[in-house]
Amino acid sequence: MAKLNILRYPDPRLHTVAKPVPQVDARIRQLVDDMLESMYAADGVGLAATQVDVHERVIVIDTSEARDDPRVLINPELMAMSDEMSFADEGCLSVPAIYEKVARHARVTVRALGRDGQPQEFEAEGLFAVCVQHEMDHLVGKVFVEYLSQLKRDRIKAKMLKKAREDERA
Ligand code: NI
């Protein structure tokens, strides 16, 4: 396994639209394992392949307290969404140390392939539902800060660019 480099906002590659995975083969399973390792190492609850500069529809999530319940979603599709919305603080490994409220469907029904290539369909709610929607946005090139006002987004962008310059000097 290998830890992958996670792109930081406002890296333009984060706006790439991912392609469907043609086949869940050894290459994809390796990607999944590397993404899980990278997500756990960064203490994140979710990671989309877009964030590691691989533009295929692969997501890993673990919203469990014990960090022992990895979920793998390949070619995910939202089959149903609740009318009810929830409004919770979100963060992102590509936008470190920024937390902002975003409106999401409170419950979603998802269909995806697992790491074994088998189709699965499940309902998600709470943090898991938020995470599924957040990560699926990454696959279409959308970062959660794009839900915020232009003013907030510009402020976050400036903060990220300043941090990147500081990291370069360090
Ligand atoms: Ni994210």
Side-chain angles (χ1 to χ4, degrees), residues 4-139:
L4 304 167
N5 181 47
I6 297 175
L7 300 178
R8 296 272 178 100
Y9 183 78
D11 191 310
R13 289 171 290 182
L14 286 169
H15 303 303
T16 312
V17 177
K19 293 187 171 65
V21 170
Q23 196 189 349
V24 181
D25 54 13
R27 179 183 66 91
I28 293 296
R29 284 191 293 273
Q30 183 66 57
L31 171 65
V32 162
D33 293 345
D34 290 346
M35 283 173 62
L36 281 168
E37 186 183 347
S38 309
M39 177 187 77
Y40 287 124
D43 213 19
V45 292
L47 187 66
T50 309
Q51 293 176 273
V52 294
D53 203 21
V54 175
H55 302 288
E56 295 183 77
R57 294 183 59 82
V58 177
I59 288 170
V60 296
I61 293 176
D62 188 344
T63 52
S64 69
E65 286 278 327
R67 320 282 292 143
D68 62 355
D69 185 20
R71 299 283 206 130
V72 177
L73 283 67
I74 298 167
N75 297 342
E77 286 176 84
L78 285 185
M79 308 308 291
M81 292 154 270
S82 66
D83 291 332
E84 187 195 332
M85 304 298 282
S86 76
F87 207 58
D89 266 336
E90 285 185 31
C92 179
L93 292 178
S94 293
V95 198
I98 302 288
Y99 300 91
E100 295 283 351
K101 282 197 171 17
V102 175
R104 301 283 188 185
H105 299 283
R107 286 173 307 282
V108 292
T109 306
V110 188
R111 188 180 288 170
L113 303 177
R115 189 184 178 282
D116 58 4
Q118 293 304 305
Q120 39 173 314
E121 190 171 314
F122 55 89
E123 263 191 57
E125 60 179 356
L127 177 59
F128 187 30
V130 169
C131 208
V132 165
Q133 292 167 82
H134 175 118
E135 302 309 332
M136 284 186 71
D137 273 352
H138 276 302
L139 299 182

